[in-house]
């Protein structure tokens, strides 16, 4: 098990291999379908070295930091991803496969794609220590939230050499 | 004549939404625990362990099992001897909105599928069946769309036979692959018309997954197991928890088959009035 922190350095990323289990700590940004449509036009947060989490959480119940917040299907964001990687995005967290174009872009820009435990949104909420909406609040659950996570368990899905866990 | 007030239905539906989203179905949890004890692949075992722990936390802390609290699919069996005082459909929609709001669930419903726009709690697919007697049964199935997106439907030739039916179902699961939160429950509708087969595939997801299964269901479970997709798509023994099929008479010229895949978080709750 490797521990890594945001902002991710190139050295951190190059050390990771597809299939590695890691615990991630630091700041990440939620973003899914509708937010991606806007992100590619104008970026509301610093994308360089950023980590995007494909997630649309439930509303936050009283006395909780966040509600259920597991990963959504990554492939729906494939069309937007190469451009974001080009602009400096370093890591994505989601579930499932990516397109060949995304795999190649991950390799080209030395980034990484992580898998989070899918369908485990209640469990994952326990790793979130802070949550704050930072953009597109009109999108409701699809708004961009800045999450501060501690020891968020992830598996490397595609590493910076373009190797994929799904073969 | 038995009279049921619409307000009563609203309350029952609201409670069902909460129950379905907080407490994983007993048959599903049972099968997941069985799968956990049998899984040899360490990564797959870990994924199953996380899924079971997630269900425990959700029930204990009243957190949604999954952030995708779904599009609510409501099944109503309405006894013909009952009189509803008030508006049944509005009562159900109101119950959904109340339950989802109370549970702080996700506002996942958008009014216009093309223009999209602001999402909310208002909306549900409601299937009503009129039955004899004076009983009312309501079931709420919050269907997540990660797996709903992997639904497949085909009008096979009437001469296709069982082999092609099987091939189509197995191919649908393989196409979903690791993306839709395996281990899956595979709901299948065979027969009827194009619309009805899709409905039957949903109804199949309401069946107890541990109850006795037909030879066709068992054969499909074995065949899907061989795909090696495994929990979270990371390999392992358990790709599907169960295959459940609903069949219906059809036309001599056709053989409709619908596949409705559910993620491991198959949620539903029922009440009788």
């Amino acid at each position: 098990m490797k521990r890594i922190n945001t902002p991710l350095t190139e050295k951190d990323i190059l050390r990771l291999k597809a299939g590695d289990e890691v615990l991630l700590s630091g700041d990440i940004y939620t973003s899914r379908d509708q937010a991606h449509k806007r992100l590619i036009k104008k970026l509301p947060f610093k994308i360089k070295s950023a980590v995007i989490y494909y997630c649309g959480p439930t509303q936050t119940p009283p006395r909780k930091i966040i509600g259920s917040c597991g990963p959504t299907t990554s492939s729906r964001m494939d069309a937007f991803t190469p451009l974001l990687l080009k602009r400096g995005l370093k890591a994505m967290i989601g579930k499932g496969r990516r397109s060949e174009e995304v795999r190649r872009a991950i390799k080209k820009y030395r980034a990484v794609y992580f898998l989070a435990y899918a369908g485990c949104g209640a469990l994952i909420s326990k790793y979130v220590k802070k949550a704050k909406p930072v953009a597109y609040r009109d999108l409701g659950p699809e708004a961009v939230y800045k999450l501060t996570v501690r020891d968020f368990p992830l598996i490397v899905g595609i590493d910076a050499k373009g190797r994929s866990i799904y073969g | 004549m038995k009279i049921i007030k619409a307000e009563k239905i609203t309350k029952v539906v609201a409670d069902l939404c909460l129950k379905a989203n907080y407490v994983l179905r007993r048959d599903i949890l049972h099968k997941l625990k069985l799968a956990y004890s049998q899984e040899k692949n360490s990564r797959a075992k870990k994924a199953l362990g996380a899924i079971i722990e997630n269900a425990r936390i959700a029930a204990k802390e009243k957190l949604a099992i999954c952030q995708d609290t779904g599009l609510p699919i409501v099944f109503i069996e309405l006894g013909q001897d009952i009189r509803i005082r008030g508006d049944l459909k509005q009562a159900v929609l109101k119950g959904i909105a109340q339950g989802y709001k109370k549970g702080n669930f996700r506002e996942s419903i958008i009014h216009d599928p093309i223009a999209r726009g602001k999402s909310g709690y208002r909306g549900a697919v409601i299937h009503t069946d009129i039955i004899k007697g004076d009983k009312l049964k309501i079931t709420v199935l919050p269907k997540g769309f990660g797996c709903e997106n992997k639904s497949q439907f085909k009008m096979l030739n009437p001469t296709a036979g069982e082999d092609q039916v099987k091939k189509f179902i197995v191919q649908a699961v393989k196409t979903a692959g690791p993306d839709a939160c395996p281990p899956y429950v595979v709901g299948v509708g065979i027969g009827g018309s194009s619309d009805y087969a899709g409905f039957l595939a949903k109804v199949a997801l309401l069946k107890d997954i541990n109850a006795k299964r037909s030879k066709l269901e068992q054969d499909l479970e074995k065949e899907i197991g061989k795909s090696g997709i495994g929990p979270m798509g990371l390999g392992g023994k358990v790709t599907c928890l169960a295959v459940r099929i609903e069949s219906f008479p059809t036309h001599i010229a056709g053989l409709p088959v619908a596949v409705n895949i559910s993620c491991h978080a198959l949620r539903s709750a029922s009440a009788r009035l």
Side-chain angles (χ1 to χ4, degrees):
Chain A
M1 189 78 76
K2 290 174 183 165
R3 278 202 149 78
I4 51 170
N5 296 291
T6 66
L8 298 177
T9 64
E10 179 142 322
K11 199 175 145 205
D12 289 332
I13 290 170
L14 292 175
R15 264 191 348 186
L16 299 173
K17 276 209 314 275
D20 282 354
E21 291 181 34
V22 305
L23 296 173
L24 177 74
S25 298
D27 293 340
I28 62 178
Y29 294 91
T30 68
S31 177
R32 49 174 289 156
D33 306 71
Q34 298 302 327
H36 269 75
K37 243 174 131 172
R38 295 188 192 178
L39 276 185
I40 54 161
K41 289 180 197 136
K42 189 168 176 270
L43 289 159
F45 58 89
K46 206 177 123 224
I47 194 86
K48 201 170 173 318
S49 302
V51 181
I52 283 182
Y53 179 26
Y54 302 136
C55 171
T58 63
Q59 302 230 3
T60 306
R63 295 177 300 283
K64 299 270 186 212
I65 295 163
I66 194 166
S68 192
C69 56
T72 194
T73 311
S74 307
S75 60
R76 291 199 315 270
M77 270 55 77
D78 281 352
F80 308 106
T81 300
L83 185 65
L84 294 176
L85 287 167
K86 191 178 170 192
R87 290 186 182 161
L89 174 69
K90 274 295 165 201
M92 297 145 286
I93 304 168
K95 69 169 166 114
R97 294 166 293 194
R98 306 307 303 261
S99 67
E100 178 57 19
E101 289 71 34
V102 169
R103 191 193 64 78
R104 275 200 223 120
I106 287 172
K107 188 177 171 188
K108 184 174 174 190
Y109 299 109
R110 297 182 163 197
V112 60
Y113 168 55
F114 295 110
L115 306 172
Y117 284 108
C120 297
L123 172 67
I124 291 173
S125 74
K126 299 287 153 194
Y127 307 111
V128 178
K129 303 302 164 191
K130 258 193 247 169
K132 190 179 146 206
V134 292
Y136 316 146
R137 292 184 81 156
D138 61 302
L139 291 179
E142 297 198 67
V144 173
Y145 285 81
K146 181 176 167 182
L147 306 183
T148 307
V149 297
R150 194 187 304 146
D151 292 339
F152 185 3
L154 304 170
I155 299 166
V156 178
I158 301 174
D159 63 29
K161 292 210 167 83
R163 290 171 298 205
S164 168
I165 196 168
Y166 299 125
Chain B
M1 183 173 275
K2 184 167 160 182
I3 293 172
I4 299 175
K5 285 186 186 160
E7 293 81 36
K8 170 82 180 158
I9 290 167
T10 296
K11 188 177 179 310
V12 167
V13 169
D15 288 346
L16 289 175
C17 293
L18 292 167
K19 189 181 169 200
N21 277 296
Y22 288 151
V23 188
L24 192 58
R25 257 166 56 172
R26 203 184 300 166
D27 59 327
I28 306 292
L29 193 57
H30 174 82
K31 200 65 184 273
L32 283 166
K33 286 181 176 168
L34 196 69
Y36 178 80
S37 68
Q38 291 170 347
E39 186 62 69
K40 300 259 187 306
N41 177 320
S42 68
R43 221 186 252 152
K45 202 176 175 82
K46 214 164 169 180
L48 288 167
I51 293 166
I52 294 164
E53 174 66 1
N54 183 68
R56 191 189 67 80
I57 291 172
K60 187 174 156 240
E61 298 197 22
K62 289 195 162 44
L63 277 165
I65 294 164
C66 177
Q67 74 287 342
D68 184 356
T69 46
L71 176 65
I73 317 290
V74 183
F75 299 86
I76 299 174
E77 285 173 31
L78 178 65
Q80 62 191 14
D81 299 338
I82 297 173
R83 192 176 150 210
I84 306 286
R85 185 162 288 159
D87 188 327
L88 172 63
K89 198 169 159 190
Q90 289 307 317
V92 170
L93 290 172
K94 210 168 144 190
I96 299 272
Q98 279 182 8
Y100 271 62
K101 186 156 191 265
K102 191 171 176 197
N104 296 288
F105 298 150
R106 198 170 75 182
E107 296 182 294
S108 305
I109 317 297
I110 48 105
H111 186 68
D112 185 324
I114 294 175
R116 315 300 291 185
K118 194 170 161 22
S119 62
Y121 292 135
R122 194 88 179 164
V125 174
I126 304 173
H127 299 288
T128 309
D129 194 12
I130 309 292
I131 55 169
K132 67 172 186 183
D134 66 352
K135 299 273 185 290
L136 172 64
K137 186 181 176 191
I138 305 176
T139 302
V140 176
L141 169 84
K143 187 64 162 57
F145 254 55
C147 55
E148 186 67 7
N149 278 337
K150 304 295 176 186
S151 307
Q152 287 205 32
F153 170 75
K154 197 167 186 179
M155 295 301 279
L156 292 172
N157 276 325
T159 51
E162 194 176 283
D163 277 355
Q164 282 194 49
V165 171
K166 274 191 200 164
K167 208 172 140 191
F168 173 63
I169 297 164
V170 173
Q171 163 272 328
V173 177
K174 283 186 179 165
T175 305
D179 299 350
C181 298
Y184 301 128
V185 178
V186 183
V188 181
I190 304 177
S193 49
S194 59
D195 55 329
Y196 205 66
F199 166 73
L200 291 173
K202 274 279 183 326
V203 171
L205 292 177
L206 299 176
K207 290 173 144 181
D208 183 334
I209 64 163
N210 300 311
K212 191 173 173 345
R213 297 191 293 296
S214 69
K215 185 171 179 302
L216 180 56
E217 287 169 325
Q218 291 178 39
D219 287 353
L220 282 162
E221 286 170 7
K222 262 184 226 143
E223 200 56 43
I224 292 166
K226 281 187 212 154
S227 70
I229 296 167
M232 248 182 97
L234 301 175
K237 210 170 136 183
V238 193
T239 298
C240 96
L241 298 173
V243 174
R244 301 291 355 224
I245 299 174
E246 278 283 310
S247 297
F248 197 80
T250 191
H251 191 277
I252 50 170
L255 174 45
V257 183
V259 181
N260 198 247
I261 292 172
S262 172
C263 59
H264 56 74
L266 173 50
R267 292 148 284 172
S268 68
S270 302
R272 283 168 212 274
L273 279 100

